[in-house]
Amino acid sequence: MRKKIFSGVQPTGNLHLGNYLGAIKNFVELNNEKENECIFCVVDLHAITVKQDPNKLRNNIRETVATFIASGIDPKKSIIFNQSQVKAHSEAAWILSCVARMGWLNRMTQFKEKAGKDKEKASVGLYSYPILMAADILLYEATHVPVGEDQKQHLELCRDIAQKFNNEFGVKDFFILPEPLIQKEFSRIMSLKDGSKKMSKSEVSDLSRINLTDDKDLIINKIKKAKTDAFPIPSSLEELTTRMEAKNLLGIYSSLKNFGLEKTIKQFSGRNFSDFKKDLSQVLVDKIDPISKEIKKLLKESDFLDKILLEGSNKANEIASEKLKKIHEIVGF
Ligand code: AMP
Ligand code: TRP
């Protein structure tokens, strides 16, 4: 079946190995399947749900496009654009916010995590953010949405909103209910410093993540310093359940090699971590260093990146404004 793919990444800097293995690697594979129609969005409207420096944001938008291309997404085959340039997203988000229920949003765990203890101080946008995400997806009639595990709940909400709209207005199948595409294994890459925390752009310590712009020496150094434990690599999966850091590093290796975790364990069983880390650094350098070099090269060609965004947003605008017109008719505008 021909898939219509839509996904988004926030231009908030420090794109890292978690973004790559959880999402971007999958984007590239989907882009390479001939029959798919793919749209990859730099979600700048989502980025401003927390405070951004305007100049940094502008650079981060370009850096996200550069990362997509350096990772292997072909802008001739897939549409790449930034959300703010297609006005239909904001408008559809408003209309859908009148369909979504407070109770549904109140259950979103990512808001609770991001808002922290003082919810009163969080922006309203951070709270309603999953509705904008639903608008992104539904405007393009996406059938499949590749994301990391942390976005699963937002996709379920998107399906609920689509279903309620279709039912309430009696327009069966108007909004397509999208399927999440989440990697079966390694859909959640953890911090190199704390195996209970997600690898994240906003973590203060740069040693907690491998950035996609890190060079060879930095990668080797970060893996050397990555937290492990005092035991050798076990011979079975069960023995890893309480060893989160060990499991994460073995998972990263497996994901990069396209191995199952069991195969990696078999390969390294009985060996110590300092030994394993040498092999891990090598596969990481082989994969990330060329991407890092290409990102840096592309960042010097800002006109080229801007042209891709302009062409992409023109194409996206055609699709989205057509759908928005139909939404207007359905709600009675
Ligand atoms: P964001 O940077 O929050 O816009 O995330 C972009 C994509 O990367 C989303 O599909 C996330 O689910 C995915 N992602 C972010 N962090 C991780 C992680 N630590 N492990 C796996 N996937 C991740
Ligand atoms: N919320 C997603 C994240 O933080 C990014 C995103 C925005 C997205 N719109 C989307 C992902 C639509 C998939 C589809 O990672």
Side-chain angles (χ1 to χ4, degrees), residues 34-252:
K34 221 166 75 209
E35 63 283 2
N36 292 343
E37 226 174 89
C38 301
I39 306 181
F40 299 113
C41 185
V42 181
V43 290
D44 46 10
L45 295 172
H46 276 105
I48 62 163
T49 55
V50 296
K51 197 166 186 294
Q52 300 293 334
D53 172 317
N55 285 321
K56 282 196 190 133
L57 180 62
R58 240 183 300 278
N59 285 331
N60 285 335
I61 293 169
R62 292 194 182 112
E63 189 168 309
T64 310
V65 182
T67 305
F68 284 170
I69 297 170
S71 303
I73 295 172
D74 176 4
K76 288 203 190 74
K77 170 139 198 301
S78 297
I79 297 177
I80 298 175
F81 76 106
N82 57 326
Q83 197 185 25
S84 62
Q85 300 310 298
V86 178
K87 307 280 184 266
H89 290 248
S90 308
E91 198 180 325
W94 174 259
I95 297 170
L96 295 180
S97 76
C98 301
V99 175
R101 304 289 95 177
M102 294 283 284
W104 301 353
L105 281 177
N106 287 341
R107 284 198 288 274
M108 296 296 115
T109 55
Q110 192 181 78
F111 173 75
K112 290 177 195 158
E113 272 165 31
K114 286 198 179 174
K117 285 199 191 80
D118 199 353
K119 284 197 194 52
E120 302 284 313
K121 289 228 171 85
S123 73
V124 176
L126 188 66
Y127 178 72
S128 61
Y129 156 142
I131 303 176
L132 176 60
M133 177 164 165
D136 298 343
I137 297 166
L138 298 175
L139 278 172
Y140 298 90
E141 303 183 339
T143 58
H144 294 82
V145 180
V147 280
E149 173 69 29
D150 60 344
Q151 297 301 316
K152 194 172 170 204
Q153 197 184 32
H154 292 159
L155 276 169
E156 281 158 12
L157 181 84
C158 172
R159 291 170 61 95
D160 289 343
I161 293 174
Q163 185 97 61
K164 187 165 185 339
F165 185 98
N166 290 350
N167 288 342
E168 254 178 26
F169 292 100
V171 283
K172 195 169 174 281
D173 300 332
F174 174 70
F175 280 136
I176 310 288
L177 306 198
E179 296 289 333
L181 288 179
I182 299 173
Q183 319 261 53
K184 283 193 196 71
E185 281 188 296
F186 328 120
S187 59
R188 206 174 150 81
I189 304 297
M190 310 311 277
S191 156
L192 299 180
K193 287 281 155 201
D194 178 350
S196 68
K197 278 197 196 154
K198 204 174 71 163
M199 186 177 284
S200 149
K201 295 167 174 174
S202 53
E203 175 62 49
V204 183
S205 168
D206 197 54
L207 289 174
S208 69
R209 63 181 163 260
I210 305 281
N211 298 307
L212 297 178
T213 47
D214 286 349
D215 63 19
K216 185 176 165 198
D217 292 343
L218 208 47
I219 293 171
I220 293 171
N221 192 36
K222 284 181 178 178
I223 292 300
K224 212 180 263 168
K225 293 199 170 134
K227 189 174 168 198
T228 47
D229 53 38
F231 307 103
I233 292 169
S235 54
S236 74
L237 219 55
E238 295 75 60
E239 292 168 77
L240 275 179
T241 33
T242 53
R243 299 174 61 188
M244 288 177 296
E245 285 83 13
K247 188 172 178 190
N248 188 42
L249 292 184
L250 290 162
I252 291 172

